[in-house]
Amino acid sequence: MANFTLILAEGAVEPTAFGLDATVWVSIAMLAFLGILVWKGVPAMIAGMLDKRIAEISKQLNEAEQLRLDAESLKAEYEAKLADAAKEADEMRARADAEAEALVAKAKADATALIGRRKQMAEDRIAAAEATALTEVRAAAAKAATEAAAMLIADKHDAGADKALVDKAIAAVAKG
């Protein structure tokens, strides 16, 4: 079959118009088309559209660069705020530790003072109890001595001895 195609192709004559074959006519049509495009200003329109697109892309790139700079400044600002917050937290922790130590020291001092006051109160109560007991013992001893003296006087004194004592007391008062 390949041979048959070659046989037909050898005897075929290519068509021509005005002595020009199809390839030349296609080239002329292409040149005419390109000439019309140039004459109508199509390359200038394409260049204008490309310039416009380039300007839009450049504008978007500038906006993106500005947004990147804004984002970097915000990042730096928030990093500074974070550092300040961490520093403030450390300061608050240090103050809280100092306050806790002061409270513990005050509590120890208060406990020591309370123990001292309670000890003094206990000693005062013991001293008061001792004084009360001593007073009660003295009162009981005085009462016992008075009762014993009264019993002795009642046993050994009679009416005659009482009369002599009264006369002696009256004489002492009269002298004085």
Side-chain angles (χ1 to χ4, degrees), residues 10 17 46 56 80 157 172:
E10 287 178 16
I46 292 173
E56 286 178 23
H157 265 311

Side-chain angles (χ1 to χ4, degrees), residues 37-71:
L37 288 178
V38 170
W39 176 59
K40 290 289 188 178
V42 171
M45 285 191 301
I46 292 173
M49 287 189 314
L50 289 175
D51 288 342
K52 187 176 172 183
R53 183 72 179 141
I54 288 171
E56 286 178 23
I57 291 172
S58 176
K59 180 181 172 186
Q60 289 175 352
L61 286 174
N62 289 338
E63 288 175 0
E65 179 67 20
Q66 185 61 40
L67 288 173
R68 185 185 64 79
L69 291 174
D70 291 346

Side-chain angles (χ1 to χ4, degrees), residues 64-80:
E65 179 67 20
Q66 185 61 40
L67 288 173
R68 185 185 64 79
L69 291 174
D70 291 346
E72 286 178 358
S73 71
L74 281 174
K75 179 184 174 193
E77 180 182 336
Y78 283 115
E79 285 175 348

Side-chain angles (χ1 to χ4, degrees), residues 89-109:
D90 289 341
E91 290 173 357
M92 288 174 68
R93 189 177 306 113
R95 281 194 307 266
D97 288 343
E99 287 178 9
E101 288 176 9
L103 286 174
V104 167
K106 185 177 184 300
K108 284 181 182 178

Side-chain angles (χ1 to χ4, degrees), residues 89-138:
D90 289 341
E91 290 173 357
M92 288 174 68
R93 189 177 306 113
R95 281 194 307 266
D97 288 343
E99 287 178 9
E101 288 176 9
L103 286 174
V104 167
K106 185 177 184 300
K108 284 181 182 178
D110 289 347
T112 303
L114 180 65
I115 290 170
R117 284 193 307 270
R118 295 237 173 137
K119 181 179 177 185
Q120 184 63 41
M121 286 172 51
E123 288 174 357
D124 290 346
R125 284 183 190 157
I126 291 170
E130 286 177 350
T132 303
L134 184 60
T135 303
E136 289 176 0
V137 167
R138 285 183 183 161

